[in-house]
Amino acid sequence: MHLALVRSAGTKLAGDEDVRAYDYSLHPIFAPIFCLQLPQEEKAQLARS
Amino acid sequence: MNDRYNNYKHALLFTIRRGKSGIRKYYAGWRTSFNFPDRIYVTYWNWFIAACSAQRAWSCLGEQVSFADQTIAAQQVGMKNVAELEGLSVQGAQLTKLVLGLGRVFQVLAYRPEGHSPEQTNSLYLTKGFLPQKLSPSSTPP
């Protein structure tokens, strides 16, 4: 996605019915702007409200 | 409280400068420079040249670049890439807004560790129904 987001295989599934396949994170090159950590630690849920 | 300190003391280190100017977290060193999943060498050399420019002297090629200058250079490289996103494709402006929006959300989560683990949240996943029906992979094409 033009180095905007990095897609990786989904981890930390919450249950047997959880089928989410991918996690998305900002490209590490943007981490210094927002003081983010480079390796993946925790992930958030993005849901429609 | 003691357990929280023992478990997260490294992550909490980056939250003690709240409300103060200056660098909160340094991005320096070989491991950080080569932590990019793709275009690794181009990224590194962009970074390095920007670091030398931050010191305002090309004579620093034979000297060690300070951690602060490497961090400033990394931020400059990141901002340059954000600016370049807009011209990469038709959706460039939307990508720029996406990066700035998500980055701000993660930044606030990193700055304020109260209410969640201080380990920084920097990834997300999409829930079922997040995409509009016409974009959902399960929808049938017309």
Side-chain angles (χ1 to χ4, degrees):
Chain A
M1 206 181 278
H2 300 297
L3 296 181
L5 296 180
V6 176
R7 189 177 73 175
S8 57
T11 58
K12 299 179 183 177
L13 300 181
D16 295 337
E17 299 178 354
D18 199 343
V19 294
R20 57 179 181 263
Y22 299 107
D23 293 338
Y24 299 88
S25 58
L26 286 178
H27 193 277
I29 205 169
F30 303 123
I33 305 174
F34 306 108
C35 287
L36 302 180
Q37 198 164 344
L38 289 176
Q40 290 187 1
E41 290 289 342
E42 295 284 322
K43 60 184 176 183
Q45 175 185 358
L46 191 62
R48 170 179 286 184
S49 59
Chain B
M1 182 64 187
N2 198 21
D3 286 342
R4 181 176 171 86
Y5 170 76
N6 289 328
N7 291 335
Y8 302 122
K9 54 187 175 185
H10 182 261
L12 288 171
L13 272 178
F14 305 112
T15 65
I16 59 179
R17 284 185 60 87
R18 179 185 302 172
K20 296 182 179 178
S21 62
I23 298 173
R24 179 186 296 256
K25 187 175 187 177
Y26 287 106
Y27 293 85
W30 284 96
R31 289 181 60 185
T32 302
S33 305
F34 284 98
N35 202 9
F36 300 110
D38 46 22
R39 300 189 183 184
I40 182 171
Y41 299 109
V42 174
T43 300
Y44 173 71
W45 283 109
N46 283 339
W47 189 330
F48 184 76
I49 292 171
C52 291
S53 300
Q55 284 199 332
R56 299 174 187 275
W58 286 98
S59 60
C60 68
L61 287 174
E63 303 169 3
Q64 183 177 5
V65 182
S66 68
F67 294 159
D69 285 337
Q70 290 185 54
T71 304
I72 293 170
Q75 293 171 345
Q76 290 174 347
V77 172
M79 288 305 297
K80 177 181 71 67
N81 279 37
V82 170
E84 288 178 353
L85 278 177
E86 194 166 350
L88 283 178
S89 71
V90 178
Q91 293 84 17
Q94 293 171 310
L95 280 177
T96 303
K97 291 178 183 176
L98 179 68
V99 168
L100 294 178
L102 287 178
R104 177 59 182 161
V105 170
F106 292 150
Q107 185 181 37
V108 171
L109 287 174
Y111 280 7
R112 299 185 176 277
E114 301 91 348
H116 61 91
S117 68
E119 294 170 323
Q120 293 191 358
T121 303
N122 58 4
S123 64
L124 57 92
Y125 62 93
L126 304 178
T127 58
K128 185 179 181 181
F130 178 77
L131 295 175
Q133 188 64 35
K134 62 181 179 181
L135 296 178
S136 176
S138 59
S139 62
T140 57

Short mmCIF file of all heavy atoms in Angstrom, two decimals, chain A:
data_model
loop_
_atom_site.label_atom_id
_atom_site.label_comp_id
_atom_site.label_asym_id
_atom_site.label_seq_id
_atom_site.Cartn_x
_atom_site.Cartn_y
_atom_site.Cartn_z
N MET A 1 0.85 -1.20 0.00
CA MET A 1 0.00 0.00 0.00
C MET A 1 0.88 1.25 0.00
O MET A 1 0.75 2.13 0.83
CB MET A 1 -0.94 -0.01 1.20
CG MET A 1 -2.22 0.77 1.02
SD MET A 1 -3.25 0.72 2.48
CE MET A 1 -4.05 -0.85 2.25
N HIS A 2 1.86 1.29 -0.89
CA HIS A 2 2.75 2.43 -1.03
C HIS A 2 3.47 2.77 0.27
O HIS A 2 3.63 3.93 0.61
CB HIS A 2 1.98 3.65 -1.52
CG HIS A 2 1.32 3.45 -2.85
ND1 HIS A 2 2.05 3.19 -4.00
CD2 HIS A 2 0.03 3.44 -3.20
CE1 HIS A 2 1.20 3.05 -5.00
NE2 HIS A 2 -0.02 3.18 -4.55
N LEU A 3 3.86 1.77 1.01
CA LEU A 3 4.62 1.96 2.24
C LEU A 3 3.83 2.72 3.31
O LEU A 3 4.43 3.24 4.24
CB LEU A 3 5.94 2.67 1.98
CG LEU A 3 6.94 1.94 1.09
CD1 LEU A 3 8.21 2.75 0.94
CD2 LEU A 3 7.28 0.59 1.69
N ALA A 4 2.53 2.83 3.19
CA ALA A 4 1.76 3.50 4.22
C ALA A 4 1.47 2.55 5.37
O ALA A 4 1.74 2.85 6.53
CB ALA A 4 0.45 4.04 3.65
N LEU A 5 0.95 1.38 5.05
CA LEU A 5 0.65 0.37 6.06
C LEU A 5 1.40 -0.91 5.73
O LEU A 5 1.68 -1.21 4.57
CB LEU A 5 -0.85 0.08 6.12
CG LEU A 5 -1.77 1.22 6.55
CD1 LEU A 5 -3.22 0.76 6.54
CD2 LEU A 5 -1.40 1.74 7.92
N VAL A 6 1.71 -1.66 6.75
CA VAL A 6 2.35 -2.96 6.59
C VAL A 6 1.37 -4.02 7.08
O VAL A 6 0.82 -3.90 8.17
CB VAL A 6 3.66 -3.03 7.40
CG1 VAL A 6 4.26 -4.41 7.30
CG2 VAL A 6 4.63 -1.98 6.91
N ARG A 7 1.13 -5.01 6.24
CA ARG A 7 0.19 -6.08 6.61
C ARG A 7 0.97 -7.31 7.04
O ARG A 7 1.94 -7.70 6.40
CB ARG A 7 -0.70 -6.40 5.42
CG ARG A 7 -1.84 -7.34 5.76
CD ARG A 7 -2.72 -7.58 4.57
NE ARG A 7 -2.09 -8.43 3.58
CZ ARG A 7 -2.69 -8.88 2.48
NH1 ARG A 7 -3.94 -8.52 2.25
NH2 ARG A 7 -2.06 -9.64 1.63
N SER A 8 0.54 -7.90 8.13
CA SER A 8 1.19 -9.12 8.61
C SER A 8 0.12 -10.13 8.97
O SER A 8 -1.07 -9.79 9.11
CB SER A 8 2.07 -8.81 9.82
OG SER A 8 1.30 -8.21 10.85
N ALA A 9 0.52 -11.36 9.12
CA ALA A 9 -0.44 -12.41 9.46
C ALA A 9 -1.02 -12.16 10.85
O ALA A 9 -0.32 -11.73 11.76
CB ALA A 9 0.26 -13.76 9.43
N GLY A 10 -2.30 -12.41 11.00
CA GLY A 10 -2.99 -12.15 12.24
C GLY A 10 -2.49 -13.04 13.36
O GLY A 10 -2.22 -14.22 13.16
N THR A 11 -2.39 -12.46 14.55
CA THR A 11 -1.97 -13.23 15.73
C THR A 11 -2.93 -12.92 16.87
O THR A 11 -3.81 -12.06 16.76
CB THR A 11 -0.54 -12.86 16.15
OG1 THR A 11 -0.49 -11.47 16.40
CG2 THR A 11 0.45 -13.23 15.06
N LYS A 12 -2.71 -13.59 17.97
CA LYS A 12 -3.48 -13.35 19.19
C LYS A 12 -4.99 -13.43 18.93
O LYS A 12 -5.73 -12.51 19.26
CB LYS A 12 -3.12 -12.00 19.79
CG LYS A 12 -1.67 -11.87 20.18
CD LYS A 12 -1.40 -10.50 20.74
CE LYS A 12 0.07 -10.34 21.07
NZ LYS A 12 0.38 -8.99 21.56
N LEU A 13 -5.43 -14.49 18.32
CA LEU A 13 -6.85 -14.66 18.08
C LEU A 13 -7.58 -14.81 19.41
O LEU A 13 -7.11 -15.46 20.33
CB LEU A 13 -7.08 -15.88 17.20
CG LEU A 13 -6.42 -15.83 15.82
CD1 LEU A 13 -6.74 -17.08 15.03
CD2 LEU A 13 -6.86 -14.59 15.06
N ALA A 14 -8.77 -14.20 19.47
CA ALA A 14 -9.49 -14.17 20.73
C ALA A 14 -10.26 -15.47 21.00
O ALA A 14 -10.54 -15.80 22.14
CB ALA A 14 -10.45 -12.98 20.75
N GLY A 15 -10.62 -16.22 19.95
CA GLY A 15 -11.40 -17.42 20.16
C GLY A 15 -11.41 -18.30 18.94
O GLY A 15 -10.80 -17.97 17.91
N ASP A 16 -12.13 -19.44 19.02
CA ASP A 16 -12.17 -20.36 17.89
C ASP A 16 -12.89 -19.76 16.68
O ASP A 16 -12.61 -20.11 15.54
CB ASP A 16 -12.87 -21.66 18.30
CG ASP A 16 -12.06 -22.40 19.35
OD1 ASP A 16 -10.84 -22.16 19.40
OD2 ASP A 16 -12.64 -23.19 20.11
N GLU A 17 -13.86 -18.89 16.95
CA GLU A 17 -14.62 -18.30 15.86
C GLU A 17 -13.94 -17.07 15.27
O GLU A 17 -14.45 -16.49 14.32
CB GLU A 17 -16.02 -17.90 16.35
CG GLU A 17 -16.82 -19.10 16.85
CD GLU A 17 -18.17 -18.70 17.37
OE1 GLU A 17 -18.40 -17.48 17.45
OE2 GLU A 17 -18.96 -19.58 17.70
N ASP A 18 -12.84 -16.69 15.83
CA ASP A 18 -12.14 -15.51 15.34
C ASP A 18 -11.35 -15.88 14.10
O ASP A 18 -10.46 -16.73 14.15
CB ASP A 18 -11.21 -14.99 16.44
CG ASP A 18 -10.81 -13.55 16.18
OD1 ASP A 18 -10.99 -13.11 15.05
OD2 ASP A 18 -10.34 -12.90 17.11
N VAL A 19 -11.67 -15.26 12.99
CA VAL A 19 -11.05 -15.64 11.72
C VAL A 19 -10.28 -14.50 11.09
O VAL A 19 -9.96 -14.55 9.92
CB VAL A 19 -12.11 -16.14 10.72
CG1 VAL A 19 -12.73 -17.42 11.20
CG2 VAL A 19 -13.17 -15.07 10.49
N ARG A 20 -10.03 -13.47 11.85
CA ARG A 20 -9.33 -12.34 11.24
C ARG A 20 -7.95 -12.79 10.76
O ARG A 20 -7.20 -13.45 11.46
CB ARG A 20 -9.23 -11.17 12.19
CG ARG A 20 -8.56 -11.45 13.51
CD ARG A 20 -8.52 -10.15 14.32
NE ARG A 20 -7.87 -10.38 15.60
CZ ARG A 20 -8.52 -10.62 16.72
NH1 ARG A 20 -9.83 -10.68 16.73
NH2 ARG A 20 -7.86 -10.80 17.85
N ALA A 21 -7.63 -12.43 9.56
CA ALA A 21 -6.45 -13.01 8.92
C ALA A 21 -5.24 -12.09 8.97
O ALA A 21 -4.12 -12.57 8.93
CB ALA A 21 -6.78 -13.34 7.47
N TYR A 22 -5.44 -10.79 9.05
CA TYR A 22 -4.31 -9.88 8.92
C TYR A 22 -4.34 -8.82 10.01
O TYR A 22 -5.40 -8.41 10.48
CB TYR A 22 -4.33 -9.18 7.56
CG TYR A 22 -4.22 -10.12 6.38
CD1 TYR A 22 -5.33 -10.38 5.58
CD2 TYR A 22 -3.02 -10.75 6.09
CE1 TYR A 22 -5.24 -11.24 4.50
CE2 TYR A 22 -2.92 -11.61 5.02
CZ TYR A 22 -4.03 -11.86 4.23
OH TYR A 22 -3.92 -12.72 3.17
N ASP A 23 -3.15 -8.41 10.40
CA ASP A 23 -2.98 -7.23 11.22
C ASP A 23 -2.34 -6.15 10.36
O ASP A 23 -1.53 -6.45 9.48
CB ASP A 23 -2.08 -7.51 12.43
CG ASP A 23 -2.72 -8.47 13.40
OD1 ASP A 23 -3.96 -8.59 13.37
OD2 ASP A 23 -1.98 -9.11 14.17
N TYR A 24 -2.69 -4.92 10.64
CA TYR A 24 -2.13 -3.80 9.89
C TYR A 24 -1.43 -2.87 10.87
O TYR A 24 -1.93 -2.61 11.96
CB TYR A 24 -3.23 -3.02 9.16
CG TYR A 24 -3.98 -3.85 8.15
CD1 TYR A 24 -5.10 -4.59 8.52
CD2 TYR A 24 -3.57 -3.91 6.83
CE1 TYR A 24 -5.79 -5.36 7.61
CE2 TYR A 24 -4.26 -4.67 5.91
CZ TYR A 24 -5.36 -5.40 6.30
OH TYR A 24 -6.03 -6.16 5.39
N SER A 25 -0.29 -2.38 10.46
CA SER A 25 0.42 -1.40 11.28
C SER A 25 1.03 -0.35 10.36
O SER A 25 1.22 -0.57 9.17
CB SER A 25 1.51 -2.07 12.12
OG SER A 25 2.43 -2.73 11.29
N LEU A 26 1.31 0.80 10.94
CA LEU A 26 1.97 1.83 10.16
C LEU A 26 3.36 1.37 9.78
O LEU A 26 3.99 0.61 10.51
CB LEU A 26 2.07 3.12 10.97
CG LEU A 26 0.79 3.93 11.17
CD1 LEU A 26 1.09 5.14 12.03
CD2 LEU A 26 0.23 4.38 9.84
N HIS A 27 3.82 1.79 8.63
CA HIS A 27 5.18 1.43 8.23
C HIS A 27 6.17 1.97 9.28
O HIS A 27 5.99 3.08 9.79
CB HIS A 27 5.48 2.03 6.86
CG HIS A 27 6.71 1.46 6.23
ND1 HIS A 27 7.96 1.93 6.53
CD2 HIS A 27 6.88 0.45 5.35
CE1 HIS A 27 8.85 1.25 5.84
NE2 HIS A 27 8.22 0.35 5.11
N PRO A 28 7.19 1.20 9.61
CA PRO A 28 8.12 1.63 10.66
C PRO A 28 8.80 2.95 10.37
O PRO A 28 9.29 3.60 11.30
CB PRO A 28 9.15 0.49 10.70
CG PRO A 28 8.46 -0.68 10.14
CD PRO A 28 7.48 -0.17 9.14
N ILE A 29 8.82 3.36 9.13
CA ILE A 29 9.48 4.63 8.83
C ILE A 29 8.73 5.82 9.42
O ILE A 29 9.29 6.88 9.63
CB ILE A 29 9.66 4.79 7.30
CG1 ILE A 29 10.83 5.71 7.00
CG2 ILE A 29 8.40 5.30 6.65
CD1 ILE A 29 11.24 5.72 5.57
N PHE A 30 7.43 5.62 9.73
CA PHE A 30 6.66 6.69 10.34
C PHE A 30 6.74 6.69 11.86
O PHE A 30 6.22 7.59 12.50
CB PHE A 30 5.19 6.59 9.92
CG PHE A 30 4.98 6.62 8.44
CD1 PHE A 30 4.32 5.60 7.78
CD2 PHE A 30 5.46 7.67 7.69
CE1 PHE A 30 4.14 5.63 6.41
CE2 PHE A 30 5.28 7.72 6.32
CZ PHE A 30 4.63 6.69 5.68
N ALA A 31 7.34 5.68 12.44
CA ALA A 31 7.37 5.55 13.90
C ALA A 31 8.04 6.74 14.59
O ALA A 31 7.54 7.21 15.61
CB ALA A 31 8.05 4.24 14.30
N PRO A 32 9.17 7.26 14.08
CA PRO A 32 9.80 8.39 14.79
C PRO A 32 8.93 9.63 14.84
O PRO A 32 9.08 10.45 15.74
CB PRO A 32 11.08 8.63 13.98
CG PRO A 32 11.37 7.35 13.32
CD PRO A 32 10.04 6.78 12.99
N ILE A 33 8.02 9.80 13.89
CA ILE A 33 7.17 10.99 13.90
C ILE A 33 6.25 10.96 15.11
O ILE A 33 6.03 11.96 15.78
CB ILE A 33 6.34 11.08 12.62
CG1 ILE A 33 7.23 11.02 11.39
CG2 ILE A 33 5.52 12.36 12.60
CD1 ILE A 33 6.45 10.96 10.09
N PHE A 34 5.69 9.77 15.38
CA PHE A 34 4.67 9.66 16.41
C PHE A 34 5.21 9.01 17.68
O PHE A 34 4.42 8.65 18.57
CB PHE A 34 3.49 8.84 15.88
CG PHE A 34 2.92 9.36 14.59
CD1 PHE A 34 3.12 8.69 13.40
CD2 PHE A 34 2.21 10.54 14.58
CE1 PHE A 34 2.61 9.17 12.21
CE2 PHE A 34 1.69 11.03 13.39
CZ PHE A 34 1.89 10.36 12.20
N CYS A 35 6.52 8.83 17.79
CA CYS A 35 7.15 8.21 18.96
C CYS A 35 6.58 6.81 19.20
O CYS A 35 6.26 6.44 20.33
CB CYS A 35 6.98 9.05 20.21
SG CYS A 35 8.00 10.52 20.22
N LEU A 36 6.44 6.05 18.15
CA LEU A 36 5.93 4.69 18.29
C LEU A 36 7.07 3.70 18.43
O LEU A 36 8.21 3.99 18.10
CB LEU A 36 5.09 4.33 17.05
CG LEU A 36 3.91 5.22 16.75
CD1 LEU A 36 3.18 4.73 15.51
CD2 LEU A 36 2.96 5.28 17.92
N GLN A 37 6.71 2.54 18.91
CA GLN A 37 7.69 1.48 19.07
C GLN A 37 7.81 0.72 17.76
O GLN A 37 6.81 0.46 17.09
CB GLN A 37 7.25 0.55 20.20
CG GLN A 37 8.36 -0.32 20.73
CD GLN A 37 7.99 -0.92 22.07
OE1 GLN A 37 7.04 -0.46 22.70
NE2 GLN A 37 8.72 -1.92 22.49
N LEU A 38 9.00 0.34 17.38
CA LEU A 38 9.18 -0.31 16.08
C LEU A 38 8.62 -1.72 16.03
O LEU A 38 7.86 -2.05 15.14
CB LEU A 38 10.66 -0.29 15.70
CG LEU A 38 11.19 1.10 15.35
CD1 LEU A 38 12.68 1.04 15.08
CD2 LEU A 38 10.48 1.64 14.13
N PRO A 39 8.95 -2.62 16.95
CA PRO A 39 8.34 -3.95 16.88
C PRO A 39 6.89 -3.90 17.30
O PRO A 39 6.47 -3.02 18.05
CB PRO A 39 9.16 -4.79 17.87
CG PRO A 39 10.29 -3.94 18.27
CD PRO A 39 9.92 -2.54 18.02
N GLN A 40 6.13 -4.87 16.82
CA GLN A 40 4.72 -4.91 17.20
C GLN A 40 4.58 -5.40 18.63
O GLN A 40 5.18 -6.37 19.03
CB GLN A 40 3.96 -5.85 16.29
CG GLN A 40 3.82 -5.31 14.88
CD GLN A 40 2.93 -6.17 14.04
OE1 GLN A 40 2.41 -7.15 14.53
NE2 GLN A 40 2.77 -5.82 12.79
N GLU A 41 3.77 -4.71 19.39
CA GLU A 41 3.52 -5.12 20.78
C GLU A 41 2.04 -5.42 21.00
O GLU A 41 1.65 -6.54 21.17
CB GLU A 41 3.97 -4.01 21.73
CG GLU A 41 5.47 -3.84 21.78
CD GLU A 41 6.15 -4.99 22.47
OE1 GLU A 41 5.47 -5.72 23.18
OE2 GLU A 41 7.38 -5.14 22.31
N GLU A 42 1.24 -4.39 20.99
CA GLU A 42 -0.18 -4.55 21.21
C GLU A 42 -0.91 -4.09 19.96
O GLU A 42 -0.40 -3.32 19.17
CB GLU A 42 -0.63 -3.71 22.40
CG GLU A 42 -0.04 -4.13 23.72
CD GLU A 42 -0.71 -5.39 24.24
OE1 GLU A 42 -1.93 -5.52 24.08
OE2 GLU A 42 0.00 -6.23 24.80
N LYS A 43 -2.13 -4.56 19.78
CA LYS A 43 -2.90 -4.09 18.64
C LYS A 43 -4.29 -3.65 19.08
O LYS A 43 -4.81 -4.09 20.09
CB LYS A 43 -3.01 -5.17 17.58
CG LYS A 43 -3.69 -6.43 18.04
CD LYS A 43 -3.63 -7.45 16.92
CE LYS A 43 -4.23 -8.76 17.38
NZ LYS A 43 -4.12 -9.78 16.32
N ALA A 44 -4.85 -2.78 18.30
CA ALA A 44 -6.16 -2.22 18.61
C ALA A 44 -7.17 -2.73 17.61
O ALA A 44 -6.84 -3.17 16.52
CB ALA A 44 -6.08 -0.69 18.56
N GLN A 45 -8.43 -2.64 18.02
CA GLN A 45 -9.52 -3.05 17.15
C GLN A 45 -10.09 -1.82 16.47
O GLN A 45 -10.35 -0.80 17.11
CB GLN A 45 -10.60 -3.74 17.97
CG GLN A 45 -11.84 -4.10 17.16
CD GLN A 45 -12.93 -4.68 18.03
OE1 GLN A 45 -12.76 -4.83 19.22
NE2 GLN A 45 -14.05 -4.97 17.44
N LEU A 46 -10.26 -1.90 15.18
CA LEU A 46 -10.85 -0.80 14.44
C LEU A 46 -12.23 -1.24 13.99
O LEU A 46 -12.37 -2.12 13.14
CB LEU A 46 -9.97 -0.44 13.23
CG LEU A 46 -10.31 0.85 12.49
CD1 LEU A 46 -10.14 2.03 13.43
CD2 LEU A 46 -9.42 1.03 11.29
N ALA A 47 -13.25 -0.66 14.60
CA ALA A 47 -14.61 -1.08 14.32
C ALA A 47 -15.44 0.11 13.87
O ALA A 47 -15.13 1.26 14.21
CB ALA A 47 -15.24 -1.71 15.56
N ARG A 48 -16.47 -0.18 13.12
CA ARG A 48 -17.36 0.89 12.67
C ARG A 48 -18.30 1.25 13.81
O ARG A 48 -18.87 0.38 14.47
CB ARG A 48 -18.15 0.42 11.46
CG ARG A 48 -19.27 1.38 11.07
CD ARG A 48 -20.00 0.90 9.86
NE ARG A 48 -19.20 1.09 8.66
CZ ARG A 48 -19.65 0.81 7.44
NH1 ARG A 48 -20.86 0.34 7.29
NH2 ARG A 48 -18.90 1.00 6.40
N SER A 49 -18.44 2.55 14.08
CA SER A 49 -19.33 2.98 15.16
C SER A 49 -20.58 3.60 14.58
O SER A 49 -20.60 4.00 13.41
CB SER A 49 -18.62 4.02 16.03
OG SER A 49 -18.24 5.13 15.26
#
